[in-house]
């Protein structure tokens, strides 16, 4: 079979299987998509957009994030400048409650419906959970916004505490495929992350789980990662692209080519037709302004606005203007919350 016939075959399969029936692509099918030539990119993105529109609708969910505790993390995630094990410029710092509330207010003003409180830790201790609880209460007193958290690996007791606080969604990324994970992190296992996610789901919180593309993984491992996520069935998948950070083990890696990043976005949409697929860190350096538009017209249906944890993002106004230009309505707060 020629490469051209494989190309036609996988797109035809995806159109019938994913677009018509709503069944995500398998790992081997995702790999076929990732191997498509750049000449097929336009058609692939159009198909992914059709899938997103049919199974998710036109709404785009907008989220802001803030770091409650930055830097000084004991883990060795090779992409992360917040690790205390690397010679990176990020140093440990805590954010006070008034600053947290102000950040939530500014996030809400941008049109965001979700505000995520993040901490650079292996997992939360009692001090951090107390700070999170106080922060959530203070935010709720002044801002109408859904609150998510990303605090590392959890015990069952901690999961129950966060659920009792009313945390809407918990973010804990698998980061990459199970087979590639030991090349990215050595201080904890992929299975430990998976266990936290299963407890979060069982407690009734929404599961937010994605990762970073461009960390030296093969196309096969990228397809494996999509299959890992499909098995987990998260409510949301944030797609990050490696923005190499000085002083980290991945600081010298090449930035993922834009065409490869866009193919990955489309492939993940075809693997996860009903999932919130969120543009996250690294899209600015990987895709630029044109790529941001192509991504939103190629399967993306959520964005993080403003800055990330240790890197600058696009101004919130730029993303909101883009959504208006593309006639993509911003998702409103759920009436039941």
């Amino acid at each position: 079979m020629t490469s051209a016939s494989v190309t036609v075959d996988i797109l035809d399969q995806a159109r019938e299987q994913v677009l018509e029936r709503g069944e995500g692509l398998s790992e081997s099918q995702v790999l076929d998509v990732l191997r498509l030539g750049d000449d097929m990119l336009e058609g692939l993105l159009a198909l992914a957009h059709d899938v997103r529109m049919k199974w998710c609708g036109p709404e785009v969910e907008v989220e802001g994030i803030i770091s409650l505790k930055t830097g000084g993390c004991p883990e060795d995630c090779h992409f992360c400048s917040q690790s205390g094990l690397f010679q990176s410029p990020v140093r440990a710092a805590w954010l006070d409650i008034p600053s947290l509330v102000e950040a939530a207010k500014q996030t809400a003003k941008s049109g965001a419906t979700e505000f995520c409180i993040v901490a650079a830790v292996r997992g939360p201790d009692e001090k951090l959970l107390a700070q999170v609880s106080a922060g959530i209460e203070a935010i709720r007193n002044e801002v109408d916004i859904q609150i998510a958290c990303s605090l590392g690996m959890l015990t069952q007791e901690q999961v129950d505490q966060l659920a009792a606080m009313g945390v809407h969604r918990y973010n804990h990324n698998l980061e990459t495929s199970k087979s590639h994970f030991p090349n990215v992190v050595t201080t904890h296992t992929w299975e430990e992350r998976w266990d936290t996610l299963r407890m979060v789901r069982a407690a009734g919180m929404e599961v937010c789980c994605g990762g970073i593309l461009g960390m030296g993984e093969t196309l096969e491992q990228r397809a494996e990662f999509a299959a890992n996520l499909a098995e987990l069935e998260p409510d949301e998948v944030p797609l990050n692209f490696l923005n190499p950070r000085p002083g980290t083990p991945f600081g010298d890696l090449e930035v993922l080519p834009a065409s490869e990043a866009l193919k990955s976005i489309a492939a993940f949409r075809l693997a996860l037709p009903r999932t919130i697929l969120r543009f996250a860190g690294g899209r600015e350096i990987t895709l630029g302004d044109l790529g941001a538009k192509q991504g939103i017209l190629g399967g993306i249906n959520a964005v993080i606005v403003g800055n990330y944890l240790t890197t600058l993002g696009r101004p919130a106004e730029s993303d909101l203007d883009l959504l208006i230009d593309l006639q993509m309505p911003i998702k409103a707060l759920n009436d039941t919350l």
Side-chain angles (χ1 to χ4, degrees):
M1 186 178 288
T2 66
S3 59
S5 62
V6 169
T7 295
V8 173
D9 189 44
I10 188 57
L11 291 183
D12 285 346
Q13 284 178 26
R15 191 167 287 107
E16 194 276 330
Q17 178 181 327
V18 188
L19 181 59
E20 299 304 323
R21 303 203 312 269
E23 298 175 9
L25 295 186
S26 68
E27 182 175 340
S28 62
Q29 289 174 314
V30 169
L31 182 57
D32 286 341
V33 170
L34 293 172
R35 286 173 170 165
L36 289 174
D38 289 354
D39 59 322
M40 300 302 298
L41 182 58
E42 185 176 348
L44 172 62
L45 292 174
L47 175 58
H49 179 64
D50 288 344
V51 167
R52 168 263 171 117
M53 293 294 283
K54 178 169 182 177
W55 296 106
C56 297
E59 289 187 329
V60 175
E61 186 181 280
V62 177
E63 178 184 45
I65 60 175
I66 191 72
S67 182
L68 180 61
K69 189 260 179 186
T70 303
C73 182
E75 305 305 290
D76 74 344
C77 306
H78 291 12
F79 54 84
C80 186
S81 58
Q82 298 201 65
S83 172
L85 304 178
F86 308 143
Q87 295 300 314
S88 66
V90 177
R91 289 295 170 259
W94 284 80
L95 191 68
D96 60 32
I97 298 299
S99 299
L100 191 67
V101 173
E102 182 58 30
K105 286 181 178 179
Q106 294 304 316
T107 297
K109 284 180 181 178
S110 75
T113 55
E114 186 100 8
F115 181 67
C116 188
I117 300 171
V118 183
V121 290
R122 176 185 175 88
D125 57 16
E126 288 186 16
K127 175 187 176 184
L128 178 55
L129 281 178
Q131 190 88 341
V132 168
S133 180
I136 289 175
E137 183 178 1
I139 290 169
R140 286 233 166 87
N141 287 335
E142 298 195 42
V143 189
D144 181 21
I145 198 165
Q146 294 171 353
I147 297 175
C149 286
S150 181
L151 311 172
M153 291 173 287
L154 304 174
T155 65
Q156 184 62 60
E157 182 181 1
Q158 291 167 337
V159 169
D160 294 341
Q161 286 179 273
L162 290 172
M165 291 176 201
V167 171
H168 162 67
R169 183 182 292 163
Y170 193 78
N171 164 254
H172 192 49
N173 289 338
L174 288 170
E175 303 300 6
T176 190
S177 67
K178 186 175 181 179
S179 68
H180 188 52
F181 190 87
N183 300 317
V184 178
V185 183
T186 68
T187 48
H188 60 267
T189 66
W190 191 92
E191 287 80 5
E192 286 177 279
R193 290 183 177 238
W194 182 272
D195 289 345
T196 287
L197 293 161
R198 298 307 289 263
M199 287 190 288
V200 165
R201 163 72 51 71
M205 286 182 279
E206 289 191 1
V207 172
C208 171
C209 177
I212 305 174
L213 304 182
M215 296 195 294
E217 74 277 3
T218 63
L219 291 184
E220 288 81 2
Q221 287 170 325
R222 205 169 293 165
E224 177 195 348
F225 184 36
N228 294 150
L229 291 170
E231 181 183 352
L232 180 66
E233 296 183 323
D235 299 278
E236 173 186 340
V237 171
L239 277 183
N240 299 270
F241 304 96
L242 183 69
N243 183 348
R245 298 287 82 204
T248 66
F250 287 170
D252 294 327
L253 289 183
E254 295 290 327
V255 172
L256 200 66
S259 62
E260 201 169 328
L262 289 169
K263 256 181 267 188
S264 298
I265 290 169
F268 275 66
R269 169 52 68 203
L270 296 178
L272 302 155
R274 293 175 174 82
T275 302
I276 297 171
L277 198 59
R278 188 181 295 278
F279 252 155
R283 62 186 168 107
E284 296 78 16
I285 189 173
T286 304
L287 295 169
D289 290 344
L290 177 61
K293 181 175 181 179
Q294 288 177 298
I296 291 172
L297 293 177
I300 291 292
N301 64 331
V303 294
I304 291 176
V305 294
N307 295 329
Y308 305 108
L309 300 177
T310 60
T311 58
L312 297 176
R314 284 159 53 91
E317 296 77 15
S318 298
D319 280 326
L320 298 177
D321 287 345
L322 176 60
L323 295 178
I324 292 169
D325 182 52
L326 297 176
Q327 298 183 326
M328 298 290 178
I330 296 173
K331 183 179 178 181
L333 274 174
N334 191 320
D335 291 338
T336 63
L337 294 173

